[in-house]
Amino acid sequence: MERIKRNERMAALTKLLTASPNRIFTLSYFCEMFGAAKSTLSEDIDLLRGVFDAFGLGRLDTVTGAAGGVRYRPVMKSQDARAFLSELCGELCTPSRLLPGGFLYLGDILSMPEIVRKMGVIIAGEFYDAAPDFVLTMETKGIPAALMAAQALGVPLVIARRSSKVYEGSAVNINYVSGSSAHIETMSLSRRAVREGQRALIVDDFLKAGGTARGMIDLMGEFNVEVVGTAFVMAKAHPASKLIQGERALMVMDLEGDDPSTLAIRPADWV
């Protein structure tokens, strides 16, 4: 086998690690791939770790133990995350975006991959330690942000639907009360989508009163799945008392009644 140069090795390592976020690669895997000693690979990884830290490109973690190795986790520095969200809030704080019922039009923002990728990275950074087995969202507007969070966490995306589909097999259906309209809605999830004992992270686009999120938590209870957190792109400041607790929203929208002139959007305090 032709000897692989260090710069070639470093480029390949960067691609492999960043293409599979949160996946643990053993040093033996890289040793076999590059034909190099573990000490050499350890030096390469230390160099990459320094570069990633210096330029805010994410984090390389060394995992100890029999199944240990190295993994890449996309993270954003707090100041970078807040600057990104502040700029986004300025773009969204437009009265023409207001929709009936106190909602905000986010369709164009949630269809821009680079913006949604950053949202997913910020959300994932809050829940790495919670170690969810999958990300759950409700069709359809929450799918882009949930997918990017799942990608950063290295876990599957599971989508709850308004009604069961024939091609998904048998399903669990529950009724829940919409927090904003107080109407009875239906939520459905295929029995094959999740397994008992798993851990779920709920990600959605908009939180008003929390009825849909409460429904997803109750749905996970039907599967004996633990919900380790809830995250949203946008949350309304009022009502202050939601049907769920401990949620993480990237941005907070304040609006008095339906008066467009009172519209204010800011990054969440926790960011």
Side-chain angles (χ1 to χ4, degrees), residues 10-25 29-30 33 48 52 57-60 70-74 117 128 147-148 150-155:
M10 298 283 281
L13 280 171
T14 302
K15 172 61 178 176
L16 290 167
L17 289 165
T18 57
S20 300
N22 217 26
R23 173 185 168 184
I24 298 176
F25 290 88
Y29 174 84
F30 290 136
M33 174 179 290
L48 280 181
F52 283 16
L57 301 177
R59 189 174 75 229
L60 281 185
V70 62
R71 69 184 167 203
Y72 167 75
R73 284 179 166 177
R117 185 191 65 80
Y128 283 126
L147 180 61
M148 291 297 100
Q151 197 269 342
L153 288 163
V155 298

Side-chain angles (χ1 to χ4, degrees), residues 15 19 35 46 53 56 61 82 86 103 110-111 113 129 131-132 142 150 155 161 164 177 182 206 213 216 240 247 266:
K15 172 61 178 176
D46 286 340
D53 289 342
D61 294 335
R82 195 159 188 87
S86 295
F103 293 95
L110 295 179
S111 64
D129 292 340
V155 298
R161 303 191 180 279
S164 58
V177 179
F206 200 89
M216 285 191 276
E247 73 278 0
R266 57 178 173 80

Side-chain angles (χ1 to χ4, degrees), residues 78-91:
S78 296
Q79 61 268 32
D80 293 338
R82 195 159 188 87
F84 160 70
L85 292 175
S86 295
E87 182 179 351
L88 192 56
C89 287
E91 185 174 343

Side-chain angles (χ1 to χ4, degrees), residues 24-47:
I24 298 176
F25 290 88
T26 64
L27 286 183
S28 298
Y29 174 84
F30 290 136
C31 290
E32 183 177 345
M33 174 179 290
F34 300 120
K38 285 187 177 182
S39 58
T40 302
L41 266 302
S42 294
E43 292 176 2
D44 291 346
I45 290 168
D46 286 340
L47 284 172

Side-chain angles (χ1 to χ4, degrees), residues 28 80 96 104 126 130 148 179 196 201 222 228 256:
S28 298
D80 293 338
S96 61
L104 194 73
E126 283 295 298
M148 291 297 100
E196 181 177 339
L201 169 63
E222 295 293 322
V228 298
E256 295 181 11

